[in-house]
Protein backbone atom coordinates (compact mmCIF):
# COMPACT_ATOMS: atom_id res chain seq x y z
CA UNK A 1 0.00 0.00 0.00
CA UNK A 2 1.29 3.46 -0.87
CA UNK A 3 2.70 5.61 1.93
CA UNK A 4 2.95 2.65 4.25
CA UNK A 5 5.91 2.75 6.70
CA UNK A 6 8.78 0.40 5.84
CA UNK A 7 10.48 -1.86 8.38
CA UNK A 8 13.08 0.74 9.41
CA UNK A 9 10.31 3.22 10.09
CA UNK A 10 8.30 0.66 12.03
CA UNK A 11 11.33 -0.03 14.21
CA UNK A 12 11.72 3.71 14.88
CA UNK A 13 8.05 3.77 15.92
CA UNK A 14 8.60 0.74 18.11
CA UNK A 15 11.44 2.51 19.92
CA UNK A 16 9.26 5.55 20.55
CA UNK A 17 6.33 3.37 21.70
CA UNK A 18 8.49 1.46 24.16
CA UNK A 19 9.82 4.71 25.60
CA UNK A 20 6.23 5.79 26.26
CA UNK A 21 5.25 2.46 27.78
CA UNK A 22 3.15 1.40 24.77
CA UNK A 23 3.35 -2.29 23.80
CA UNK A 24 4.77 -3.41 20.45
CA UNK A 25 4.09 -6.61 18.50
CA UNK A 26 6.85 -8.71 16.91
CA UNK A 27 5.66 -10.91 14.06
CA UNK A 28 7.19 -13.81 12.14
CA UNK A 29 5.63 -16.45 9.90
CA UNK A 30 4.73 -18.69 12.82
CA UNK A 31 4.90 -16.53 15.96
CA UNK A 32 3.54 -13.38 17.50
CA UNK A 33 4.84 -11.74 20.63
CA UNK A 34 3.71 -8.72 22.60
CA UNK A 35 6.57 -6.79 24.20
CA UNK A 36 6.78 -3.93 26.72
CA UNK A 37 9.83 -2.24 28.23
CA UNK A 38 10.15 -3.04 31.95
CA UNK A 39 11.27 0.50 32.71
CA UNK A 40 8.13 2.19 31.36
CA UNK A 41 5.60 -0.49 32.26
CA UNK A 42 2.52 0.83 34.08
CA UNK A 43 0.26 -1.10 36.46
CA UNK A 44 -2.68 -0.61 34.07
CA UNK A 45 -0.77 -2.06 31.11
CA UNK A 46 0.48 -4.97 33.21
CA UNK A 47 -3.15 -5.73 34.14
CA UNK A 48 -4.06 -5.63 30.41
CA UNK A 49 -1.24 -8.07 29.65
CA UNK A 50 -2.39 -10.42 32.42
CA UNK A 51 -5.95 -10.28 31.05
CA UNK A 52 -4.70 -11.78 27.78
CA UNK A 53 -3.77 -14.98 29.61
CA UNK A 54 -0.70 -17.00 28.67
CA UNK A 55 2.66 -16.93 30.41
CA UNK A 56 4.39 -13.55 30.43
CA UNK A 57 8.15 -13.61 31.02
CA UNK A 58 10.70 -10.93 31.76
CA UNK A 59 13.61 -11.08 29.31
CA UNK A 60 16.86 -9.80 30.78
CA UNK A 61 20.41 -9.91 29.46
CA UNK A 62 22.83 -12.58 30.71
CA UNK A 63 24.77 -9.72 32.34
CA UNK A 64 21.77 -8.72 34.45
CA UNK A 65 20.87 -12.37 35.10
CA UNK A 66 24.32 -12.91 36.57
CA UNK A 67 23.70 -10.29 39.26
CA UNK A 68 20.16 -11.58 39.86
CA UNK A 69 21.42 -15.17 40.03
CA UNK A 70 18.81 -16.16 37.47
CA UNK A 71 19.53 -19.21 35.29
CA UNK A 72 20.74 -18.34 31.79
CA UNK A 73 19.66 -21.09 29.38
CA UNK A 74 19.74 -18.99 26.22
CA UNK A 75 23.34 -17.75 25.92
CA UNK A 76 23.02 -13.99 26.01
CA UNK A 77 19.67 -13.72 27.81
CA UNK A 78 17.43 -15.23 30.47
CA UNK A 79 13.64 -15.54 30.57
CA UNK A 80 12.26 -15.10 34.08
CA UNK A 81 8.70 -16.37 34.46
CA UNK A 82 6.42 -13.81 36.09
CA UNK A 83 4.88 -15.16 39.31
CA UNK A 84 1.08 -14.77 39.43
CA UNK A 85 1.23 -12.02 42.05
CA UNK A 86 4.18 -10.06 40.62
CA UNK A 87 3.43 -6.37 40.21
CA UNK A 88 5.33 -3.61 38.46
CA UNK A 89 7.59 -2.91 41.43
CA UNK A 90 8.77 -6.56 41.30
CA UNK A 91 9.43 -6.26 37.56
CA UNK A 92 11.19 -2.94 37.85
CA UNK A 93 13.38 -4.14 40.70
CA UNK A 94 14.55 -6.96 38.44
CA UNK A 95 15.34 -4.55 35.64
CA UNK A 96 16.88 -1.80 37.75
CA UNK A 97 19.88 -2.51 40.00
CA UNK A 98 19.43 0.65 42.09
CA UNK A 99 18.21 -1.31 45.12
CA UNK A 100 20.20 -4.51 44.59
CA UNK A 101 22.39 -3.93 47.62
CA UNK A 102 19.45 -3.06 49.88
CA UNK A 103 17.46 -6.13 48.69
CA UNK A 104 20.06 -8.61 47.46
CA UNK A 105 17.93 -11.75 47.39
CA UNK A 106 15.22 -11.22 44.81
CA UNK A 107 15.01 -14.85 43.71
CA UNK A 108 14.84 -17.76 43.44
CA UNK A 109 13.45 -17.40 39.94
CA UNK A 110 11.77 -19.82 37.61
CA UNK A 111 13.48 -19.45 34.25
CA UNK A 112 12.22 -20.75 30.91
CA UNK A 113 14.41 -23.10 28.96
CA UNK A 114 14.20 -24.44 25.42
CA UNK A 115 12.09 -23.05 22.60
CA UNK A 116 12.63 -20.03 20.44
CA UNK A 117 14.05 -16.85 21.98
CA UNK A 118 14.18 -14.64 18.89
CA UNK A 119 11.40 -12.33 20.14
CA UNK A 120 13.04 -12.03 23.55
CA UNK A 121 16.36 -11.11 21.97
CA UNK A 122 14.67 -8.58 19.67
CA UNK A 123 12.78 -7.11 22.64
CA UNK A 124 16.03 -6.53 24.53
CA UNK A 125 17.67 -5.04 21.42
CA UNK A 126 14.75 -2.64 21.06
CA UNK A 127 14.89 -1.51 24.69
CA UNK A 128 18.62 -0.85 24.26
CA UNK A 129 17.98 1.07 21.04
CA UNK A 130 15.36 3.09 22.95
CA UNK A 131 18.08 3.86 25.55
CA UNK A 132 16.00 2.23 28.29
CA UNK A 133 17.04 -0.42 30.78
CA UNK A 134 17.63 -3.64 28.79
CA UNK A 135 14.70 -5.68 30.08
CA UNK A 136 11.35 -6.44 28.48
CA UNK A 137 8.10 -8.16 29.31
CA UNK A 138 7.31 -10.68 26.56
CA UNK A 139 4.04 -12.51 26.00
CA UNK A 140 3.47 -14.98 23.17
CA UNK A 141 0.16 -14.26 21.41
CA UNK A 142 -1.96 -16.72 19.52
CA UNK A 143 -3.40 -14.26 17.02
CA UNK A 144 -3.34 -10.59 16.12
CA UNK A 145 -7.00 -10.07 16.98
CA UNK A 146 -5.95 -10.14 20.66
CA UNK A 147 -4.43 -6.69 20.21
CA UNK A 148 -5.29 -3.80 17.91
CA UNK A 149 -3.59 -0.65 16.69
CA UNK A 150 -0.15 -1.61 17.97
CA UNK A 151 3.06 -1.06 16.02
CA UNK A 152 3.87 -4.44 14.48
CA UNK A 153 7.46 -5.12 13.46
CA UNK A 154 8.75 -8.08 11.44
CA UNK A 155 10.73 -10.17 13.90
CA UNK A 156 13.67 -10.93 11.60
CA UNK A 157 14.50 -7.25 11.16
CA UNK A 158 13.97 -6.42 14.84
CA UNK A 159 16.40 -9.21 15.70
CA UNK A 160 19.38 -8.08 13.70
CA UNK A 161 21.72 -5.51 15.23
CA UNK A 162 19.89 -2.74 13.43
CA UNK A 163 20.12 0.23 15.67
CA UNK A 164 23.49 1.73 14.90
CA UNK A 165 24.00 0.69 11.31
CA UNK A 166 21.35 2.68 9.50
CA UNK A 167 22.65 4.66 6.50
CA UNK A 168 23.59 8.24 7.31
CA UNK A 169 22.80 11.18 5.10
CA UNK A 170 24.51 14.52 5.03
CA UNK A 171 21.92 17.19 5.90
CA UNK A 172 23.77 20.51 5.88
CA UNK A 173 27.15 22.05 6.59
CA UNK A 174 27.98 25.63 7.44
CA UNK A 175 30.93 27.79 8.40
CA UNK A 176 31.46 27.91 12.16
CA UNK A 177 34.31 30.09 13.42
CA UNK A 178 35.69 28.57 16.65
CA UNK A 179 38.04 29.73 19.39
CA UNK A 180 40.62 27.20 18.19
CA UNK A 181 40.31 28.15 14.54
CA UNK A 182 38.27 30.66 12.60
CA UNK A 183 38.23 28.17 9.74
CA UNK A 184 35.73 25.82 11.38
CA UNK A 185 32.82 24.07 9.67
CA UNK A 186 30.05 21.94 11.16
CA UNK A 187 28.45 19.11 9.18
CA UNK A 188 25.22 17.44 10.34
CA UNK A 189 24.47 13.78 9.49
CA UNK A 190 21.10 12.12 9.97
CA UNK A 191 20.49 8.35 10.09
CA UNK A 192 17.63 6.95 8.03
CA UNK A 193 16.14 5.18 11.04
CA UNK A 194 15.12 8.35 12.87
CA UNK A 195 17.77 7.87 15.56
CA UNK A 196 20.03 10.65 16.78
CA UNK A 197 22.05 12.85 14.44
CA UNK A 198 25.86 12.91 14.51
CA UNK A 199 28.18 15.80 13.70
CA UNK A 200 31.55 16.42 12.11
CA UNK A 201 33.62 19.49 12.97
CA UNK A 202 36.06 20.21 10.17
CA UNK A 203 38.96 22.53 10.91
CA UNK A 204 40.66 24.23 7.98
CA UNK A 205 40.53 22.49 4.63
CA UNK A 206 42.26 19.17 5.19
CA UNK A 207 43.42 17.64 1.89
CA UNK A 208 41.61 14.37 1.23
CA UNK A 209 44.68 12.52 -0.07
CA UNK A 210 46.83 12.72 3.09
CA UNK A 211 46.05 11.28 6.54
CA UNK A 212 43.86 13.73 8.44
CA UNK A 213 44.25 14.47 12.17
CA UNK A 214 41.04 13.00 13.46
CA UNK A 215 39.08 12.25 16.65
CA UNK A 216 36.02 10.07 17.21
CA UNK A 217 34.43 11.67 20.24
CA UNK A 218 31.40 10.15 21.96
CA UNK A 219 28.96 12.59 23.49
CA UNK A 220 29.35 13.18 27.20
CA UNK A 221 26.89 15.79 28.43
CA UNK A 222 28.41 15.76 31.90
CA UNK A 223 32.04 16.04 30.77
CA UNK A 224 31.74 18.05 27.55
CA UNK A 225 29.23 20.62 28.79
CA UNK A 226 29.20 20.62 32.57
CA UNK A 227 32.92 20.15 33.22
CA UNK A 228 32.40 16.91 35.16
CA UNK A 229 35.54 15.66 36.87
CA UNK A 230 34.37 12.02 36.79
CA UNK A 231 35.77 11.45 33.28
CA UNK A 232 38.27 13.01 30.89
CA UNK A 233 35.87 13.81 28.04
CA UNK A 234 35.78 17.60 28.34
CA UNK A 235 39.58 18.05 28.31
CA UNK A 236 39.85 15.46 25.49
CA UNK A 237 37.28 17.30 23.37
CA UNK A 238 38.91 20.68 23.85
CA UNK A 239 42.44 19.24 23.60
CA UNK A 240 41.68 17.57 20.28
CA UNK A 241 40.12 20.72 18.82
CA UNK A 242 43.05 22.79 20.08
CA UNK A 243 45.60 20.53 18.39
CA UNK A 244 43.61 20.61 15.16
CA UNK A 245 43.55 24.40 15.37
CA UNK A 246 47.32 24.52 15.95
CA UNK A 247 47.99 22.24 12.99
CA UNK A 248 45.48 24.17 10.89
CA UNK A 249 43.55 21.06 9.84
CA UNK A 250 41.56 18.19 11.31
CA UNK A 251 38.19 16.57 11.66
CA UNK A 252 36.42 15.80 14.93
CA UNK A 253 33.42 13.51 14.80
CA UNK A 254 30.96 14.20 17.59
CA UNK A 255 28.95 10.99 17.88
CA UNK A 256 25.75 11.07 19.88
CA UNK A 257 26.54 7.89 21.76
CA UNK A 258 26.18 9.25 25.28
CA UNK A 259 27.45 6.96 28.04
CA UNK A 260 29.24 4.58 25.65
CA UNK A 261 25.93 4.07 23.86
CA UNK A 262 23.55 3.52 26.80
CA UNK A 263 22.11 7.04 27.00
CA UNK A 264 22.34 9.67 29.71
CA UNK A 265 19.70 8.23 32.05
CA UNK A 266 21.44 4.85 32.10
CA UNK A 267 24.84 6.52 32.50
CA UNK A 268 23.51 8.31 35.57
CA UNK A 269 22.24 4.93 36.84
CA UNK A 270 25.80 3.67 36.33
CA UNK A 271 27.14 6.67 38.26
CA UNK A 272 24.76 5.92 41.13
CA UNK A 273 26.12 2.35 41.20
CA UNK A 274 29.66 3.73 41.13
CA UNK A 275 28.74 5.66 44.29
CA UNK A 276 27.89 2.26 45.81
CA UNK A 277 31.44 1.09 45.08
CA UNK A 278 31.24 -0.55 41.64
CA UNK A 279 33.66 0.48 38.92
CA UNK A 280 32.61 1.76 35.49
CA UNK A 281 32.63 -1.72 33.91
CA UNK A 282 30.86 -3.49 36.78
CA UNK A 283 28.20 -0.76 36.86
CA UNK A 284 27.39 -1.31 33.16
CA UNK A 285 27.19 -5.06 33.72
CA UNK A 286 24.88 -4.77 36.73
CA UNK A 287 22.56 -2.65 34.61
CA UNK A 288 22.56 -5.43 32.03
CA UNK A 289 24.77 -3.74 29.44
CA UNK A 290 28.11 -4.68 27.95
CA UNK A 291 31.04 -2.42 28.96
CA UNK A 292 30.74 -0.58 25.70
CA UNK A 293 27.60 -0.56 23.56
CA UNK A 294 28.93 1.83 20.90
CA UNK A 295 29.18 1.08 17.20
CA UNK A 296 32.18 3.00 15.89
CA UNK A 297 31.34 2.15 12.28
CA UNK A 298 29.26 5.32 12.23
CA UNK A 299 32.47 7.35 12.58
CA UNK A 300 34.15 5.52 9.72
CA UNK A 301 31.11 6.05 7.52
CA UNK A 302 31.09 9.80 8.17
CA UNK A 303 34.81 10.03 7.38
CA UNK A 304 34.28 8.22 4.09
CA UNK A 305 31.33 10.46 3.21
CA UNK A 306 33.57 13.47 3.78
CA UNK A 307 36.15 11.91 1.45
CA UNK A 308 38.80 10.84 3.99
CA UNK A 309 40.49 7.46 3.57
CA UNK A 310 43.31 7.69 6.08
CA UNK A 311 43.64 9.24 9.52
CA UNK A 312 45.99 10.10 12.36
CA UNK A 313 43.61 9.05 15.07
CA UNK A 314 43.59 10.85 18.41
CA UNK A 315 42.67 8.17 20.94
CA UNK A 316 43.87 5.94 23.75
CA UNK A 317 41.38 3.24 22.80
CA UNK A 318 42.86 0.47 20.62
CA UNK A 319 39.34 -0.72 19.71
CA UNK A 320 38.72 2.52 17.85
CA UNK A 321 41.91 1.94 15.83
CA UNK A 322 40.99 -1.69 15.09
CA UNK A 323 37.49 -0.74 13.98
CA UNK A 324 38.80 1.93 11.61
CA UNK A 325 41.17 -0.50 9.95
CA UNK A 326 38.38 -3.09 9.79
CA UNK A 327 36.16 -0.70 7.87
CA UNK A 328 38.93 0.16 5.42
CA UNK A 329 40.12 3.50 6.83
CA UNK A 330 43.89 3.45 7.21
CA UNK A 331 45.22 4.61 10.58
CA UNK A 332 48.73 5.83 9.83
CA UNK A 333 49.34 6.92 13.41
CA UNK A 334 47.65 6.76 16.81
CA UNK A 335 47.98 10.15 18.47
CA UNK A 336 47.67 9.75 22.27
CA UNK A 337 45.25 12.09 23.99
CA UNK A 338 46.18 12.14 27.64
CA UNK A 339 44.64 15.15 29.28
CA UNK A 340 42.42 15.92 32.23
CA UNK A 341 43.42 13.34 34.83
CA UNK A 342 42.31 14.39 38.32
CA UNK A 343 41.63 12.78 41.71
CA UNK A 344 38.00 12.05 40.80
CA UNK A 345 38.68 10.22 37.51
CA UNK A 346 42.01 8.57 38.34
CA UNK A 347 40.39 5.24 39.28
CA UNK A 348 38.02 5.44 36.28
CA UNK A 349 40.94 5.87 33.87
CA UNK A 350 42.86 3.07 35.59
CA UNK A 351 39.84 0.74 35.25
CA UNK A 352 39.58 1.56 31.53
CA UNK A 353 43.26 0.69 31.15
CA UNK A 354 42.97 -2.52 33.16
CA UNK A 355 39.64 -3.86 31.94
CA UNK A 356 38.91 -2.22 28.59
CA UNK A 357 42.41 -2.20 27.10
CA UNK A 358 42.92 1.57 27.03
CA UNK A 359 46.53 2.64 26.66
CA UNK A 360 47.89 4.67 29.53
N1 LIG B 1 28.46 3.91 30.74
C1 LIG B 1 29.35 4.82 31.11
N2 LIG B 1 29.76 5.72 30.20
C2 LIG B 1 30.69 6.61 30.58
C3 LIG B 1 31.21 6.66 31.88
N3 LIG B 1 32.10 7.69 31.94
C4 LIG B 1 32.11 8.24 30.70
N4 LIG B 1 31.28 7.61 29.88
C5 LIG B 1 31.03 7.82 28.47
O1 LIG B 1 32.14 7.27 27.78
C6 LIG B 1 32.29 7.90 26.54
C7 LIG B 1 33.75 8.32 26.44
O2 LIG B 1 34.06 8.19 25.17
P1 LIG B 1 35.44 8.51 24.45
O3 LIG B 1 36.29 9.42 25.27
O4 LIG B 1 35.06 8.90 23.07
O5 LIG B 1 36.08 7.08 24.28
P2 LIG B 1 37.12 6.22 24.96
O6 LIG B 1 36.67 4.80 24.76
O7 LIG B 1 37.37 6.67 26.36
O8 LIG B 1 38.42 6.39 24.09
P3 LIG B 1 39.40 7.63 23.88
O9 LIG B 1 38.85 8.79 24.66
O10 LIG B 1 39.36 7.85 22.41
O11 LIG B 1 40.70 7.18 24.34
C8 LIG B 1 31.29 9.04 26.52
O12 LIG B 1 30.14 8.63 25.76
C9 LIG B 1 30.91 9.20 27.98
O13 LIG B 1 29.58 9.69 28.16
C10 LIG B 1 30.77 5.68 32.81
O14 LIG B 1 31.20 5.61 33.95
N5 LIG B 1 29.83 4.80 32.37
ZN1 LIG C 1 32.74 11.85 30.00
Amino acid sequence: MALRPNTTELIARARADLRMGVPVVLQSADRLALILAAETLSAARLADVRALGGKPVLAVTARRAETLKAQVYDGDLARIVLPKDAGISWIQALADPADDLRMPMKGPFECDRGGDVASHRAAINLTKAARLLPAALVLELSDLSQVTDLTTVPLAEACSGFHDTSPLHSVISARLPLEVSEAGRLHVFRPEDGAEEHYAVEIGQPPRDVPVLSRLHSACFTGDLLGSLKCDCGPQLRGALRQMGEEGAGVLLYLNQEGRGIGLANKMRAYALQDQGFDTVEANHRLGFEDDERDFRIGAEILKTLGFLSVRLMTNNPKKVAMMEHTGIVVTERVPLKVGENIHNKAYLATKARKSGHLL
Side-chain angles (χ1 to χ4, degrees):
M1 201 212 304
L3 299 179
R4 204 169 166 184
N6 64 26
T7 304
T8 307
E9 291 153 356
L10 287 171
I11 289 173
R13 269 194 195 169
R15 283 198 308 265
D17 287 355
L18 293 174
R19 281 185 71 83
M20 293 185 292
V22 178
V24 166
V25 174
L26 302 177
Q27 183 173 34
S28 66
D30 58 348
R31 307 188 91 85
L32 277 176
L34 183 78
I35 64 164
L36 286 117
E39 180 175 343
T40 51
L41 182 66
S42 68
R45 284 241 158 76
L46 177 59
D48 290 345
V49 171
R50 293 244 190 237
L52 291 171
K55 189 172 82 166
V57 299
L58 185 71
V60 297
T61 65
R63 293 280 187 203
R64 183 70 190 130
E66 195 181 325
T67 303
L68 293 170
K69 309 229 173 344
Q71 283 295 326
V72 178
Y73 297 116
D74 309 307
D76 54 347
L77 64 89
R79 289 169 286 162
I80 302 174
V81 177
L82 239 59
K84 290 262 173 299
D85 58 350
I88 53 165
S89 54
W90 185 90
I91 293 169
Q92 282 163 0
L94 259 56
D96 188 343
D99 282 334
D100 279 359
L101 291 191
R102 209 165 47 81
M103 293 187 296
M105 293 307 290
K106 298 196 169 100
F109 303 107
E110 181 194 344
C111 289
D112 263 355
R113 127 179 250 175
D116 187 22
V117 295
S119 7
H120 307 81
R121 184 164 294 122
I124 289 177
N125 280 349
L126 281 167
T127 54
K128 282 189 182 182
R131 305 290 188 245
L132 296 168
L133 285 166
L137 193 65
V138 181
L139 177 72
E140 304 276 348
L141 297 173
S142 43
D143 69 279
L144 261 182
S145 67
Q146 288 181 278
V147 288
T148 45
D149 295 334
L150 295 181
T151 302
T152 302
V153 180
L155 178 60
E157 276 83 358
C159 247
S160 57
F162 50 82
H163 57 281
D164 273 338
T165 50
S166 175
L168 282 165
H169 299 289
S170 171
V171 181
I172 180 73
S173 87
R175 204 174 60 80
L176 186 71
L178 299 167
E179 281 170 7
V180 293
S181 164
E182 290 188 5
R185 191 165 195 87
L186 184 75
H187 303 255
V188 176
F189 294 88
R190 186 176 296 161
E192 266 179 25
D193 66 359
E196 280 177 297
E197 294 173 350
H198 304 286
Y199 319 121
V201 183
E202 192 175 355
I203 304 283
Q205 289 180 326
R208 273 28 183 184
D209 54 354
V210 291
V212 62
L213 183 63
S214 168
R215 163 117 185 110
L216 258 61
H217 188 86
S218 299
C220 178
F221 172 71
T222 47
D224 299 341
L225 256 70
L226 304 181
S228 160
L229 297 174
K230 268 186 76 76
C231 58
D232 56 348
C233 302
Q236 283 190 323
L237 174 63
R238 281 176 285 282
L241 286 173
R242 196 180 318 115
Q243 190 169 337
M244 290 173 192
E246 281 162 10
E247 293 194 16
V251 58
L252 180 137
L253 306 187
Y254 194 90
L255 307 174
N256 272 312
Q257 302 173 319
E258 174 66 61
R260 297 197 294 270
I262 65 177
L264 185 61
N266 285 323
K267 184 174 93 171
M268 289 304 104
R269 291 189 172 107
Y271 277 10
L273 294 175
Q274 288 169 36
D275 284 341
Q276 296 180 6
F278 300 104
D279 70 30
T280 181
V281 170
E282 290 162 346
N284 260 40
H285 291 175
R286 291 183 81 86
L287 284 161
F289 292 108
E290 297 305 315
D291 327 0
D292 197 334
E293 294 272 355
R294 289 175 289 183
D295 188 334
F296 291 122
R297 284 174 295 180
I298 298 171
E301 201 187 324
I302 295 178
L303 284 171
K304 285 182 191 161
T305 307
L306 291 172
F308 297 107
L309 293 170
S310 64
V311 292
R312 290 163 55 221
L313 192 64
M314 306 181 84
T315 184
N316 309 321
N317 184 348
K319 291 190 193 115
K320 287 187 183 175
V321 177
M323 177 285 309
M324 281 289 193
E325 308 239 276
H326 185 71
T327 56
I329 297 224
V330 179
V331 181
T332 58
E333 182 189 350
R334 182 185 72 83
V335 182
L337 194 54
K338 281 176 204 146
V339 280
E341 184 170 320
N342 64 57
I343 52 161
H344 301 278
N345 66 17
K346 211 173 160 51
Y348 163 75
L349 296 174
T351 302
K352 289 217 293 188
R354 199 174 70 254
K355 294 191 173 176
S356 309
H358 282 62
L359 302 158
L360 277 177

